[in-house]
Amino acid sequence: MKTAIVGFFLALGVAATASAQVYCWNTKDGKRQCGDTPPPGVKASTISGSSAPSAPPAAATDSKGAAKKGSPEEEFRKRRIEAQKTREKEQQAQDQAKAKQENCDSARAALRTLESGQRIARTGTDGERYYLDEGQIAQETERARQAVQKNCN
């Protein structure tokens, strides 16, 4: 049992080195040994062609270096681009909904102020303060109601 374990670790250690091939053979005692060079006159079997890590398979590309249509790499890129576009659309819809809610809130606040009965003051282009009369308040109230109707539905 110990010899099998030692042989296994020996084979594992030899396989981990940068040798070209790993050979296994049976000794005169009937024990199995592995190494990079078998003794002369022994029938050895090859375990692996190379212990160096193999390079990943090259992606299928056309003559211009672009991934071929239908390759897994190209399909992955397409799915990733589609997912990004979907996220951007969802973000844009959320931003629009948030802006609409903010507009609704400010329109309602303006309407409450206009309907409160308080005097409403504005500042003119010359920097002077003036108060709205009843007709101007009615016009502003109507605009505020339209804004509420537009943004709060």
Side-chain angles (χ1 to χ4, degrees):
M1 182 68 181
K2 286 184 179 182
T3 56
I5 294 173
V6 170
F8 173 76
F9 284 109
L10 179 64
L12 187 63
V14 170
T17 63
S19 63
Q21 291 182 336
V22 177
Y23 299 95
C24 286
W25 62 92
N26 290 330
T27 63
K28 293 178 184 174
D29 301 337
K31 295 179 183 176
R32 185 160 174 91
Q33 284 191 331
C34 297
D36 59 348
T37 55
V42 176
K43 183 178 179 184
S45 60
T46 304
I47 298 293
S48 64
S50 172
S51 63
S54 63
T61 58
D62 61 11
S63 61
K64 296 180 182 176
K68 288 184 180 176
K69 291 181 180 178
S71 70
E73 184 178 322
E74 182 65 21
E75 290 174 9
F76 172 73
R77 285 183 182 147
K78 285 181 183 178
R79 286 193 308 270
R80 190 172 59 187
I81 290 169
E82 289 172 5
Q84 179 67 25
K85 287 179 182 177
T86 303
R87 282 192 298 271
E88 289 173 358
K89 286 180 183 178
E90 289 174 355
Q91 183 65 37
Q92 187 178 16
Q94 288 176 353
D95 292 345
Q96 288 174 348
K98 184 178 178 182
K100 188 172 182 177
Q101 183 62 41
E102 289 172 357
N103 290 339
C104 175
D105 293 342
S106 65
R108 283 183 175 163
L111 183 61
R112 277 193 304 271
T113 302
L114 290 165
E115 291 177 339
S116 69
Q118 298 176 353
R119 291 179 65 184
I120 307 294
R122 299 279 189 250
T123 305
T125 56
D126 57 355
E128 292 292 321
R129 175 184 259 181
Y130 67 94
Y131 292 96
L132 300 180
D133 62 15
E134 294 296 321
Q136 291 171 324
I137 291 175
Q139 288 175 348
E140 291 286 327
T141 303
E142 184 57 34
R143 280 191 221 132
R145 284 188 182 126
Q146 290 174 355
V148 167
Q149 187 177 20
K150 176 183 173 187
N151 294 307
C152 297
N153 290 334

